[in-house]
Amino acid sequence: MTDYYIFNETGLMGKNSLEKFVLDLKNELEKCSIVAGIETINEEKSTIYSKIMGENLTISVFDHGFVIKIESDHKLASIVLLIIRSLISKEVEFYLSPTQRLDKNNALEVKHDVDIRKCSLILDSAFNNNEYSSALEM
Protein backbone atom coordinates (compact mmCIF):
# COMPACT_ATOMS: atom_id res chain seq x y z
CA MET A 1 0.00 0.00 0.00
CA THR A 2 1.02 3.58 -0.63
CA ASP A 3 -0.39 7.04 -0.16
CA TYR A 4 0.17 10.37 -1.84
CA TYR A 5 -1.41 13.80 -2.13
CA ILE A 6 -2.41 15.88 -5.11
CA PHE A 7 -2.93 19.60 -4.66
CA ASN A 8 -3.17 23.03 -6.15
CA GLU A 9 -2.48 26.07 -3.99
CA THR A 10 -5.45 27.96 -5.44
CA GLY A 11 -7.78 24.95 -5.58
CA LEU A 12 -8.27 21.92 -7.81
CA MET A 13 -11.90 22.95 -8.24
CA GLY A 14 -14.31 25.36 -6.64
CA LYS A 15 -16.07 24.35 -3.43
CA ASN A 16 -19.38 24.36 -5.32
CA SER A 17 -17.95 21.74 -7.74
CA LEU A 18 -16.91 19.21 -5.07
CA GLU A 19 -20.13 17.20 -5.12
CA LYS A 20 -20.05 16.82 -8.92
CA PHE A 21 -16.35 15.93 -8.85
CA VAL A 22 -16.87 13.23 -6.19
CA LEU A 23 -19.80 11.69 -8.12
CA ASP A 24 -17.89 11.81 -11.42
CA LEU A 25 -14.85 10.21 -9.77
CA LYS A 26 -16.99 7.46 -8.23
CA ASN A 27 -18.64 6.80 -11.62
CA GLU A 28 -15.27 6.55 -13.40
CA LEU A 29 -13.93 4.19 -10.72
CA GLU A 30 -17.09 2.06 -10.95
CA LYS A 31 -16.50 1.67 -14.71
CA CYS A 32 -13.17 0.06 -13.77
CA SER A 33 -14.84 -2.03 -11.00
CA ILE A 34 -12.63 -0.31 -8.43
CA VAL A 35 -14.94 1.49 -6.00
CA ALA A 36 -17.38 0.22 -3.41
CA GLY A 37 -18.95 3.42 -2.11
CA ILE A 38 -18.80 6.98 -0.88
CA GLU A 39 -18.75 7.96 2.78
CA THR A 40 -20.33 11.30 3.56
CA ILE A 41 -18.33 13.23 6.14
CA ASN A 42 -19.80 15.53 8.79
CA GLU A 43 -18.26 18.81 7.63
CA GLU A 44 -18.52 20.38 11.07
CA LYS A 45 -16.08 17.86 12.55
CA SER A 46 -13.67 17.26 9.67
CA THR A 47 -11.69 18.96 6.93
CA ILE A 48 -12.53 16.01 4.67
CA TYR A 49 -15.44 16.63 2.31
CA SER A 50 -15.89 13.03 1.19
CA LYS A 51 -14.21 9.63 1.13
CA ILE A 52 -14.44 7.20 -1.76
CA MET A 53 -13.58 3.63 -0.82
CA GLY A 54 -12.98 0.35 -2.55
CA GLU A 55 -10.83 -2.70 -2.12
CA ASN A 56 -7.27 -1.46 -1.51
CA LEU A 57 -8.38 2.12 -2.11
CA THR A 58 -9.36 5.19 -0.09
CA ILE A 59 -9.60 8.62 -1.68
CA SER A 60 -10.10 11.55 0.69
CA VAL A 61 -11.32 14.74 -0.97
CA PHE A 62 -10.65 17.59 1.42
CA ASP A 63 -13.05 20.44 1.95
CA HIS A 64 -12.59 23.50 -0.30
CA GLY A 65 -11.03 21.36 -3.08
CA PHE A 66 -7.35 22.13 -2.51
CA VAL A 67 -6.09 18.63 -1.61
CA ILE A 68 -6.94 15.01 -2.41
CA LYS A 69 -5.24 12.10 -0.61
CA ILE A 70 -5.03 8.72 -2.31
CA GLU A 71 -4.27 5.52 -0.40
CA SER A 72 -4.04 2.43 -2.60
CA ASP A 73 -1.91 -0.38 -3.89
CA HIS A 74 0.82 0.55 -6.35
CA LYS A 75 -1.07 -0.36 -9.52
CA LEU A 76 -4.22 1.51 -8.50
CA ALA A 77 -2.14 4.57 -7.63
CA SER A 78 -1.39 5.19 -11.32
CA ILE A 79 -4.92 4.41 -12.48
CA VAL A 80 -6.50 6.75 -9.93
CA LEU A 81 -4.04 9.53 -10.75
CA LEU A 82 -4.93 9.25 -14.44
CA ILE A 83 -8.68 9.31 -13.71
CA ILE A 84 -8.38 12.33 -11.43
CA ARG A 85 -6.27 14.18 -14.01
CA SER A 86 -8.98 13.54 -16.62
CA LEU A 87 -11.69 15.00 -14.36
CA ILE A 88 -9.91 18.21 -13.40
CA SER A 89 -10.00 21.10 -15.83
CA LYS A 90 -7.17 21.39 -18.35
CA GLU A 91 -6.58 24.93 -17.11
CA VAL A 92 -5.81 23.71 -13.58
CA GLU A 93 -2.28 22.50 -12.97
CA PHE A 94 -1.77 20.24 -10.01
CA TYR A 95 1.07 18.62 -8.19
CA LEU A 96 1.75 15.28 -6.57
CA SER A 97 3.57 14.92 -3.28
CA PRO A 98 4.40 11.80 -1.24
CA THR A 99 4.09 13.79 2.01
CA GLN A 100 1.64 16.12 3.69
CA ARG A 101 4.17 18.91 3.27
CA LEU A 102 2.48 20.37 0.25
CA ASP A 103 4.63 22.79 -1.70
CA LYS A 104 5.99 22.94 -5.21
CA ASN A 105 9.53 22.27 -3.95
CA ASN A 106 8.81 18.65 -3.04
CA ALA A 107 6.21 17.86 -5.66
CA LEU A 108 5.85 16.93 -9.29
CA GLU A 109 3.46 18.58 -11.72
CA VAL A 110 0.89 16.28 -13.31
CA LYS A 111 0.22 17.68 -16.76
CA HIS A 112 -3.11 17.23 -18.51
CA ASP A 113 -1.72 15.09 -21.34
CA VAL A 114 -0.46 12.22 -19.13
CA ASP A 115 -1.16 8.58 -19.88
CA ILE A 116 -1.05 5.63 -17.49
CA ARG A 117 2.67 5.06 -18.08
CA LYS A 118 3.54 8.72 -17.38
CA CYS A 119 1.45 8.57 -14.20
CA SER A 120 3.44 5.57 -12.99
CA LEU A 121 6.74 7.32 -13.80
CA ILE A 122 5.66 10.45 -11.90
CA LEU A 123 4.87 8.25 -8.90
CA ASP A 124 8.21 6.41 -9.29
CA SER A 125 9.99 9.76 -9.28
CA ALA A 126 8.07 11.05 -6.25
CA PHE A 127 8.92 7.96 -4.22
CA ASN A 128 12.42 7.37 -5.66
CA ASN A 129 11.70 3.82 -6.77
CA ASN A 130 10.20 1.90 -9.69
CA GLU A 131 7.40 0.10 -7.85
CA TYR A 132 4.62 1.95 -9.67
CA SER A 133 5.82 1.33 -13.22
CA SER A 134 6.70 -2.26 -12.27
CA ALA A 135 3.17 -2.80 -10.91
CA LEU A 136 1.70 -1.89 -14.30
CA GLU A 137 3.74 -4.63 -15.94
CA MET A 138 2.27 -7.32 -13.67
Side-chain angles (χ1 to χ4, degrees):
M1 294 293 284
T2 188
D3 61 291
Y4 63 92
Y5 299 82
I6 60 171
F7 68 97
N8 176 295
E9 294 166 338
T10 59
L12 295 162
M13 70 218 62
K15 184 174 172 110
N16 57 350
S17 302
L18 284 173
E19 183 176 357
K20 180 181 180 336
F21 172 79
V22 168
L23 291 174
D24 288 349
L25 179 56
K26 180 183 180 284
N27 290 337
E28 289 299 313
L29 293 167
E30 282 178 341
K31 289 177 188 176
C32 302
S33 301
I34 294 173
V35 72
I38 297 178
E39 177 183 349
T40 303
I41 305 297
N42 182 339
E43 289 185 37
E44 295 174 11
K45 297 181 179 181
S46 176
T47 59
I48 297 175
Y49 175 79
S50 185
K51 279 191 177 184
I52 300 171
M53 293 165 290
E55 188 175 334
N56 297 322
L57 175 67
T58 301
I59 301 170
S60 300
V61 179
F62 287 81
D63 202 13
H64 303 294
F66 290 92
V67 179
I68 300 172
K69 180 181 181 186
I70 295 92
E71 302 168 79
S72 69
D73 65 31
H74 289 86
K75 185 173 185 177
L76 275 178
S78 297
I79 295 168
V80 170
L81 181 59
L82 181 64
I83 291 171
I84 289 173
R85 177 68 271 184
S86 72
L87 294 175
I88 294 176
S89 170
K90 291 178 184 180
E91 288 77 39
V92 176
E93 61 184 26
F94 71 79
Y95 300 87
L96 180 142
S97 177
T99 67
Q100 280 188 308
R101 185 174 159 252
L102 303 176
D103 62 48
K104 292 180 184 177
N105 294 330
N106 71 334
L108 297 162
E109 184 176 0
V110 181
K111 299 200 182 275
H112 192 73
D113 63 348
V114 296
D115 58 18
I116 191 73
R117 181 78 179 143
K118 286 181 186 175
C119 286
S120 68
L121 294 174
I122 290 168
L123 286 159
D124 283 349
S125 181
F127 288 93
N128 294 319
N129 63 40
N130 67 352
E131 293 176 14
Y132 301 89
S133 55
S134 295
L136 288 180
E137 296 169 8
M138 297 177 149

